[in-house]
Amino acid sequence: MQKYTYSPPKIKDSTKLVDVLNQHGNVVCRFKRTYKSNLTRIVSYIWNIDWHVQIDVYSNDRDLVYQCKKTTKWVGHPYYQVFNCKTNEVFQITYKTWQKIAPEFLIISQSHEFTMKKEVMDWVRFYHQGKEVARWKMKTTEMFKTYLEIEEDCPIQDPEFFVCLLQNIFFIGD
């Protein structure tokens, strides 16, 4: 099992570059929130409206590896897309349930299908073919320190993918 930790910015509008560390304390990737324009950033800050959210994840070589974009509809839940910048694979993320407290998501690409379930005050769990393959948790008691665990049999071994997706959905949120 691979284990990672990071401490996201205390302010969700921040564009600070954040290091993701493996269990040995080595930086494996970095991420930050980006905005389409300065106007989008100002509107987001003043009215606390996150209509468009984008998280970019970079390798240690500073290459863009993954992007997660949130698109908000006028009615209903937003949907998310994760782009693998190296392979051009696109993951579509949609709500399976309408629950705000413990939502369930469906993650689909050409080669993968996952289910993601949020437990109240517990881990966000990833399932592939009914088996739990990864989990993510942010601890408010530790100043939002975040933990990511990826099982060896998970089809996606990139912590960048999970950080990108989960930071967008569960840190910034709806």
Side-chain angles (χ1 to χ4, degrees):
M1 176 188 314
Q2 298 179 51
K3 295 183 178 186
Y4 304 93
T5 59
Y6 62 90
S7 296
K10 305 305 178 252
I11 300 169
K12 72 179 190 173
D13 295 329
S14 173
T15 57
K16 176 185 170 192
L17 197 60
V18 177
D19 293 341
V20 177
L21 308 172
N22 65 11
Q23 59 224 22
H24 306 293
N26 300 322
V27 175
V28 293
C29 63
R30 294 174 170 84
F31 72 90
K32 70 177 183 172
R33 181 176 182 171
T34 58
Y35 291 90
K36 282 176 146 178
S37 67
N38 285 334
L39 178 62
T40 306
R41 186 174 184 171
I42 291 168
V43 167
S44 175
Y45 181 76
I46 292 174
W47 286 290
N48 197 25
I49 297 173
D50 292 310
W51 285 84
H52 173 80
V53 178
Q54 180 173 321
I55 300 291
D56 293 344
V57 182
Y58 302 91
S59 69
N60 283 337
D61 299 330
R62 302 208 185 266
D63 295 330
L64 184 60
V65 182
Y66 281 94
Q67 287 184 315
C68 182
K69 295 180 182 182
K70 169 188 166 185
T71 304
T72 304
K73 305 176 204 173
W74 286 102
V75 177
H77 283 292
Y79 66 93
Y80 302 85
Q81 290 182 314
V82 175
F83 302 95
N84 183 328
C85 299
K86 290 185 176 183
T87 65
N88 293 324
E89 186 172 16
V90 179
F91 295 84
Q92 303 290 340
I93 296 89
T94 56
Y95 281 83
K96 282 183 72 173
T97 64
W98 287 85
Q99 297 176 359
K100 285 278 194 182
I101 296 173
E104 189 173 328
F105 296 86
L106 182 62
I107 304 165
I108 298 175
S109 74
Q110 291 178 343
S111 58
H112 297 97
E113 183 174 320
F114 293 93
T115 301
M116 180 172 64
K117 296 180 183 179
K118 168 72 172 115
E119 306 289 333
V120 179
M121 301 301 289
D122 198 11
W123 293 90
V124 174
R125 300 180 189 280
F126 279 82
Y127 297 93
H128 178 68
Q129 298 177 344
K131 183 180 180 199
E132 184 179 345
V133 294
R135 64 201 64 76
W136 178 93
K137 184 175 188 175
M138 182 178 287
K139 290 192 171 185
T140 54
T141 57
E142 295 180 33
M143 298 298 290
F144 299 103
K145 186 172 181 180
T146 305
Y147 299 86
L148 171 64
E149 297 176 357
I150 304 171
E151 298 289 343
E152 291 176 7
D153 57 349
C154 182
I156 300 175
Q157 289 292 313
D158 301 334
E160 297 91 342
F161 169 81
F162 294 101
V163 167
C164 187
L165 173 63
L166 293 160
Q167 195 62 24
N168 199 327
I169 293 177
F170 294 107
F171 182 73
I172 296 171
D174 290 344

